[in-house]
Amino acid sequence: MTGSSRGLIMIEDSRIIDLFWQRSEQALAESDRKYGRYCGAIAMNILGNPEDTEECVSDTWMRAWNAIPPARPLILKAFFGKITRNLALNMIEKARAGKRGGGETTAVLDELEECIADSGAMSWSADRYVLTETLNRFLRELPEEKRTIFVRRYWYMDSVKEIAESMGFGESKVKMTLLRTRKELAEVLEREGIRP
Amino acid sequence: MTGKDLLQALNDIDDILIREADDGRRSSADRAADRDHIVHIASERKKRDAARRKKLNRITAAVITIAAVAVIALMTGGLLRNARIRNAADRAVSDRNAVKEVMDNTEANTAVTEAPVKAESAQVVVPTPLSETPAATSVPQERVQTGGAPAEAVPADSEKLQQKPELSQETGAVPTPGTVQGQEVRSAAEPKYLNDNAQGEEEAALEAQAALFNENAAAEEEYVFEELEQEAGAYEPVPLERPEAVADPSVGGGKGAVVMSGSDQDRTVITADDGQEYVFDETPVLDPDQALFDETAAADELREEFGGDGTGDFDMAIPGDDGMEPFEEEGLGGDVTEAFEATGAAAAVAELSNPIVEYDSFEALKAAVGFGIDVPQNVSGLGLGAITAIDGYLIEIRYGDGAGESALSIRKAYSGNDIIGDYNQYSDIITEEIAGSTVTMKGNGGAVSLAYWDAGDFGYVIEAQSYPIEPAMIAELVQQIR
């Protein structure tokens, strides 16, 4: 959709996507201009250092360049965010050979392992698809406030302090909310047969 | 399965959930980045707007020029038509006078032939012809007609006959039927021609009269056909090029030919094929000193609007610097300006303006459109943006994500108007009964990008093409939007 919003006109996501489809390098510049900080924040939360973050964001645009076309993302921001997050997690895995560390990653992993038992390697086709769909259902049924806190903590890997400050809560409330949500998730995963 | 797997699996959750959570985590740095981006986009917008305005100016100039030419052509056609009508009227008057003259002559002759004959005197009375025509005054007595019988000369009584007219005129006696020296003499009720010449002249006059009427009728018929052809567009307009000097009236001779000429710009001379000249002083004049569109002022306006000095992002065409000829509006004169407006050219120019009008409040919107709309202040994390009306009949309320992007819009108009505006193909199409209305929802992957429904006299649309939302949210919105 085009149009003005009180005089503020942003370049439309659809136009950026069109630039990708036209194989115009301006697509990379526009993507970085509009979503560079967004992706950088995600990478920084996971990797914990600016150099790796910059590399991760640059790789994000190249991944997008290879993915569009044929892809035509519905929500470009989330599309870029997912690439960045995936790249950052892979970089952590490769660089540290399985060592934990980097930003909030260690703490996030510790917290998530509370709600899932180590049952060996999972297949990345059926099992992961089932897990993702279960997560989607679980999150949609959560109240918006709890959902936002959960996604910010485990998808964006924001610190508890950042979440508390931005939402106007105390850290303890955020921690308590996360704890309860993890327990609910564990029950859902168990009920679905994903968690033994 | 490990916590790492869960972390990876989380990567593929719905985009909507990711975006929703991001709405509340925008840092001041992010907002600053958005502002930078907005400035960048605003700069691009300035360039685009300047280019559009420049193009619009050229289109406007072209439209006005075409309209002016059309008006001049219409007026020229009108002048020619008026000239033809005047010419035809003059000819009609002339013909009528000629006919009247002939008829007067005829009546005079008839009066002569119907002059009273005194039966009592048993003599044929030949009154003095009233007509001034020599033929009538010198009617020989040998031509006195006696009914259907061949006229016979009456030499013996010729003197007597020549002496009697004065008596007859003086006495004014009513003639009665009788005979004059054995010849039958008819009464006034049975008019007889006095002689063959009078009869011949009468017949000739009648023939001339008939011929004249026939000619007039033919000319009138031809004129009517020309009028019809002209109205039907078959009439070939007179070229607008005018010779500097008065043209030779014989040029283009032939019936109905006129030559338009004139060395002055404020008068037009039309010469008919009969050589008569018609002068019209109301010829429209294009005053080159008066500009229709003050581009210098427009450039100043643009500079003021965009805060530039005119030397930066946009360059406004100044008359003459890009080959554009200055054109005029006020200098066209009253008639032309009215005609210009009457032809709809002004409306066509007005239609080039932006159909989207933004309002500061819902009250102002309602006053302008005639109906209002109730919408929520926020929709799924999006804040209320622009309040607009499109073409004066359609309300569009936009919602943004705080980064200036219009991500969702709600539209309302009277039922019957096509206000959907999104004709993408969606994999999911469902209809639900919500708040008494049948709501059609379209989208992909379970998220709704488009919803529309009718309620009462109005139709409503939610367009969230770039910001798909959940069906449950659509249901809430349908109940809130009125």
Side-chain angles (χ1 to χ4, degrees), chain B residues 30-51:
Chain B
D30 292 331
R31 286 190 282 271
D34 287 341
R35 282 196 297 273
D36 292 343
H37 191 70
I38 289 167
V39 169
H40 167 73
I41 297 306
S43 173
E44 278 203 340
R45 185 195 176 199
K46 282 181 189 176
K47 291 178 184 176
R48 285 202 307 270
D49 286 352

Side-chain angles (χ1 to χ4, degrees), chain A:
Chain A
M1 183 177 10
T2 59
S4 68
S5 177
R6 295 207 180 280
L8 304 180
I9 296 289
M10 294 288 289
I11 185 170
E12 302 281 357
D13 285 352
S14 58
R15 192 174 162 214
I16 295 178
I17 294 170
D18 287 343
L19 290 172
F20 273 107
W21 276 76
Q22 293 162 9
R23 313 312 289 160
S24 167
E25 292 186 4
Q26 192 187 348
L28 305 179
E30 293 294 343
S31 298
D32 189 54
R33 198 189 312 273
K34 187 169 184 179
Y35 294 116
R37 270 179 197 276
Y38 169 76
C39 293
I42 295 172
M44 189 66 183
N45 283 349
I46 297 171
L47 298 169
N49 74 79
E51 292 78 16
D52 289 347
T53 296
E54 187 176 348
E55 181 185 348
C56 183
V57 172
S58 295
D59 288 348
T60 298
W61 311 137
M62 295 315 299
R63 283 286 186 95
W65 182 263
N66 293 330
I68 310 172
R72 188 176 280 279
L74 203 60
I75 302 175
L76 192 60
K77 177 190 277 187
F79 182 81
F80 287 149
K82 284 181 177 179
I83 293 176
T84 302
R85 186 175 183 274
N86 207 31
L87 281 171
L89 290 174
N90 288 340
M91 286 176 72
I92 285 283
E93 183 127 3
K94 287 180 183 175
R96 304 188 180 184
K99 290 181 185 175
R100 296 173 177 179
E104 291 289 319
T105 310
T106 304
V108 165
L109 279 173
D110 285 341
E111 289 166 20
L112 284 177
E113 287 192 346
E114 291 176 9
C115 54
I116 197 162
D118 189 346
S119 57
M122 67 182 296
S123 83
W124 285 97
S125 54
D127 289 350
R128 181 167 174 176
Y129 175 79
V130 171
L131 180 56
T132 301
E133 284 303 299
T134 303
L135 285 169
N136 277 329
R137 278 199 304 276
F138 169 74
L139 291 171
R140 284 191 200 116
E141 290 170 1
L142 281 179
E144 184 175 344
E145 185 179 283
K146 291 178 74 174
R147 182 168 63 229
T148 298
I149 292 173
F150 187 91
V151 174
R152 287 190 61 178
R153 178 62 179 157
Y154 301 118
W155 199 94
Y156 285 104
M157 298 192 191
D158 288 341
S159 69
V160 171
K161 185 180 178 183
E162 285 174 335
I163 296 171
E165 285 178 353
S166 62
M167 297 186 73
F169 301 147
E171 289 187 37
S172 59
K173 180 180 178 178
V174 173
K175 285 179 183 175
M176 184 58 66
T177 303
L178 287 171
L179 178 63
R180 288 173 182 166
T181 308
R182 287 198 301 271
K183 283 183 180 177
E184 290 176 32
L185 176 61
E187 290 172 8
V188 169
L189 293 176
E190 190 172 350
R191 195 164 58 239
E192 295 290 330
I194 297 171
R195 181 179 188 267

Side-chain angles (χ1 to χ4, degrees), chain B residues 231-276:
Chain B
E231 288 181 4
Y235 186 82
E236 185 176 352
V238 176
L240 291 177
E241 292 85 18
R242 299 188 301 177
E244 286 300 312
V246 176
D248 183 356
S250 65
V251 174
K255 194 160 190 176
V258 293
V259 176
M260 181 173 151
S261 60
S263 57
D264 296 331
Q265 285 192 322
D266 58 351
R267 66 193 289 267
T268 296
V269 179
I270 295 179
T271 307
D273 55 350
D274 58 1
Q276 186 170 357

Side-chain angles (χ1 to χ4, degrees), chain B residues 111-435:
Chain B
V112 169
T113 60
E114 293 176 358
V117 178
K118 274 198 170 180
E120 296 166 3
S121 64
Q123 290 180 343
V124 175
V125 178
V126 181
T128 302
L130 298 178
S131 170
E132 296 176 0
T133 54
T137 55
S138 60
V139 178
Q141 294 304 315
E142 296 79 17
R143 290 294 184 88
V144 174
Q145 198 171 3
T146 56
E152 293 182 6
V154 191
D157 297 321
S158 60
E159 289 182 9
K160 190 183 291 181
L161 285 171
Q162 288 175 354
Q163 293 170 356
K164 287 298 180 183
E166 291 78 12
L167 295 174
S168 175
Q169 284 181 328
E170 289 173 2
T171 58
V174 178
T176 56
T179 56
V180 177
Q181 294 178 348
Q183 300 295 322
E184 183 182 359
V185 176
R186 298 205 172 190
S187 69
E190 296 179 85
K192 301 298 292 181
Y193 296 100
L194 293 180
N195 53 47
D196 288 342
N197 280 350
Q199 182 184 13
E201 287 173 1
E202 174 76 2
E203 289 172 354
L206 289 173
E207 285 176 3
Q209 181 179 345
L212 195 55
F213 274 116
N214 288 337
E215 185 182 351
N216 286 341
E220 188 173 354
E221 184 180 27
E222 183 182 354
Y223 180 76
V224 169
F225 273 112
E226 287 177 357
E227 287 278 288
L228 291 173
E229 287 174 356
Q230 192 171 357
E231 288 181 4
Y235 186 82
E236 185 176 352
V238 176
L240 291 177
E241 292 85 18
R242 299 188 301 177
E244 286 300 312
V246 176
D248 183 356
S250 65
V251 174
K255 194 160 190 176
V258 293
V259 176
M260 181 173 151
S261 60
S263 57
D264 296 331
Q265 285 192 322
D266 58 351
R267 66 193 289 267
T268 296
V269 179
I270 295 179
T271 307
D273 55 350
D274 58 1
Q276 186 170 357
E277 290 184 352
Y278 298 90
V279 180
F280 297 90
D281 291 329
E282 65 272 26
T283 304
V285 179
L286 301 181
D287 184 358
D289 294 327
Q290 289 184 279
L292 168 65
F293 181 76
D294 190 344
E295 293 198 22
T296 305
D300 292 340
E301 184 184 340
L302 277 177
R303 291 180 185 115
E304 183 180 352
E305 178 179 346
F306 295 117
D309 58 2
T311 59
D313 292 339
F314 66 91
D315 62 339
M316 189 67 208
I318 305 300
D321 69 351
D322 61 349
M324 289 177 63
E325 290 295 331
F327 45 90
E328 49 277 329
E329 179 181 47
E330 295 173 355
L332 291 175
D335 291 342
V336 177
T337 304
E338 288 170 12
F340 166 72
E341 291 171 356
T343 57
V349 173
E351 284 176 3
L352 294 174
S353 60
N354 189 357
I356 303 174
V357 180
E358 188 170 337
Y359 297 92
D360 292 332
S361 67
F362 285 99
E363 290 74 19
L365 175 73
K366 184 177 181 180
V369 181
F371 57 88
I373 187 170
D374 294 332
V375 292
Q377 287 293 313
N378 297 288
V379 175
S380 187
L382 301 175
L384 182 63
I387 302 169
T388 65
I390 302 173
D391 281 337
Y393 78 96
L394 166 61
I395 288 175
E396 182 171 89
I397 309 300
R398 296 173 183 164
Y399 292 81
D401 59 1
E405 184 144 11
S406 179
L408 182 145
S409 62
I410 296 172
R411 292 192 282 271
K412 177 181 180 181
Y414 278 107
S415 297
N417 292 301
D418 183 3
I419 60 173
I420 294 175
D422 177 3
Y423 299 98
N424 289 314
Q425 295 290 326
Y426 293 104
S427 59
D428 304 332
I429 301 175
I430 57 173
T431 57
E432 281 189 15
E433 288 294 323
I434 302 172

